[in-house]
Amino acid sequence: MDILDIIDKKEKRETLTKEELQYVIDGYLNGSIKDYQMSALLTEIDLLGLSEEETVNLTDIMLKSGETLDLGFDNLADKHSTGGVGDKTTIVLAPLVASLGVKVAKMSGRGLGHTGGTIDKLESIKGFQTSMSLEDFKKQVDEIGLALVGQMGNLVPADKKIYALRDVTGTVDSIPLIASSIMSKKLASGAKNIVIDLKVGSGALVNNLSEAKELAHLMVKIGKENNRNIACVLTDMDEPLGNAVGNSLEVIEALNTLKGDGPEDLTNLVIKLGTLMTSMSLNISEEEAKKRIKENLYNGKGYEKMLEWVKAQGGNIKEIPLANNQKEIISKEEGYISHIDALEIGKLSRKLGAGRLSKDDNIDLSVGIVLNYKVGDYVNKGDVLATIFYNEKEITDEEFLSSYKFNKEKVEKPKLIIDIIK
Ligand code: URA
């Protein structure tokens, strides 16, 4: 076998066999296939795609490129978000489902670009530890029902190496490559029950609905082929999720949501994802799962579990630092808000210091933006549209206001949950 023949075969739109895909992944990991050869193949794949069978095979090979976890719980659930602006869902969802007896052993990432990462957000709670030994991880899941860390073991090294190359070769947006990247990691982390929140819109990895549906179907197929319960929820990411964007601000919003006092969109999303996770993991109807989720969202049990979780990971919930300065952004227009650009708000939050441009950048966990109105709301001239929390780095009113569009006619609130594929 030869990498040049494999590239040639893909160029002729022929299907690669599992042995050929194995040869590529092994060769790339051991260095016999070079970056420039791999990037030629990834570019072909980005342009011409992969068949379902190739994608399932590639996922299996990537999954087996490193360690896999088996924590031994049947009711173990995992949730993955493809990343958005203001997405603090995991911080609400994990303790909420754990309060109902679902086990959550989760690995999360740091933020990069305009999207945030759960690990950074949780680290805005003073003392919160995001790494621990496998033994402690398992013990914590066993004892309190949930644990969340940045990294655990050497899972899917093939994805680490290939993703880094995709990032610099413009091949991140290939649907089969995204499916195999996400699913190999989900499968490796061992959960029997998987819910994926696939964001669609300006602030998301995928902004086209038909591509999002294709990706969802692929991920569901891969999950089922590997005997997992899986559902993929397509959700809107044209405007930020909830009102807060920025690490500590998002944790505070997550805590309020667990006290039953969260923004409507975030609360609805948590109820939907929580229902699916609980129904799959406890093997109960969705109707019953939804009833239990809503109960624990409003009776304080989800919040209590959050406190238990934060304490177990060394955090002090009373210490979530906020930036020293606040500035209100006043509306110069009146009418219905027809658009708040999630991508632009994400970039502005990053400009304040809340996010990274490259993976070694330092971030300021205390800065960010709180929106007072969302798409479909009516505002008058002089209303406070948002508050900016800042330290050294600032943004201008004009920069902020350019993310908004207004309409004299009534604007409907966007539908957050677009579709569910399972
Ligand atoms: N997230 C991943 O983990 N992989 C991708 O390819 C894209 C998003």
Side-chain angles (χ1 to χ4, degrees), residues 149-169:
V149 291
Q151 280 285 332
M152 180 61 65
N154 182 27
L155 306 190
V156 202
D159 181 64
K160 278 193 201 100
K161 194 163 179 196
I162 295 171
Y163 193 84
L165 186 64
R166 284 170 59 208
D167 207 20
V168 292
T169 53

Side-chain angles (χ1 to χ4, degrees), residues 191-352:
K192 178 92 181 56
N193 309 288
I194 304 168
V195 172
I196 295 179
D197 179 5
L198 175 47
K199 307 283 187 197
V200 193
S202 91
L205 178 68
V206 186
N207 24 55
N208 164 304
L209 183 57
S210 73
E211 285 193 352
K213 285 192 177 171
E214 188 191 332
L215 176 56
H217 280 291
L218 257 179
M219 291 194 288
V220 168
K221 181 170 173 71
I222 296 168
K224 288 190 176 160
E225 294 258 336
N226 286 276
N227 299 318
R228 311 297 164 107
N229 298 317
I230 179 165
C232 194
V233 182
L234 274 66
T235 64
D236 176 77
M237 190 29 79
D238 266 337
E239 68 173 336
L241 180 66
N243 298 335
V245 180
N247 301 285
S248 51
L249 293 167
E250 291 191 39
V251 172
I252 293 167
E253 185 165 272
L255 292 171
N256 289 336
T257 306
L258 276 167
K259 289 180 192 158
D261 191 21
E264 194 183 330
D265 56 352
L266 176 64
T267 303
N268 288 341
L269 181 59
V270 164
I271 292 173
K272 185 78 235 179
L273 298 178
T275 298
L276 291 166
M277 277 169 95
T278 307
S279 151
M280 283 175 186
S281 310
L282 303 185
N283 204 8
I284 55 175
S285 71
E286 284 188 25
E287 200 185 359
E288 176 60 24
K290 185 173 181 183
K291 188 172 139 271
R292 294 190 199 176
I293 281 283
K294 284 175 105 174
E295 268 167 19
N296 279 18
L297 190 57
Y298 295 107
N299 66 10
K301 295 217 170 121
Y303 183 70
E304 272 168 36
K305 184 56 79 179
M306 174 85 194
L307 298 183
E308 205 182 344
W309 172 34
V310 169
K311 193 162 165 228
Q313 294 200 210
N316 180 353
I317 203 78
K318 297 209 177 86
E319 284 200 61
I320 305 174
L322 283 180
N324 295 325
N325 312 300
Q326 294 180 20
K327 170 171 98 164
E328 291 184 336
I329 307 273
I330 309 294
S331 180
K332 296 187 174 105
E333 304 206 36
E334 65 179 32
Y336 292 92
I337 300 176
S338 59
H339 184 63
I340 305 176
D341 196 306
L343 175 60
E344 286 309 315
I345 298 289
K347 286 183 181 170
L348 290 173
S349 169
R350 187 181 68 203
K351 201 168 170 193
L352 289 168

Side-chain angles (χ1 to χ4, degrees), residues 11 44 63 132 144 167 191 234 261 273 278 339 365 391:
E11 210 172 285
E44 293 296 348
L63 162 69
M132 63 179 91
I144 70 161
D167 207 20
L234 274 66
D261 191 21
L273 298 178
T278 307
H339 184 63
L365 298 171
N391 286 321

Side-chain angles (χ1 to χ4, degrees), residues 80-82 159 163 166 172 174 177-182 185 205:
H80 180 82
S81 159
T82 54
D159 181 64
Y163 193 84
R166 284 170 59 208
V172 165
S174 152
L177 293 180
I178 297 174
S180 55
S181 163
I182 293 177
K185 286 176 289 196
L205 178 68

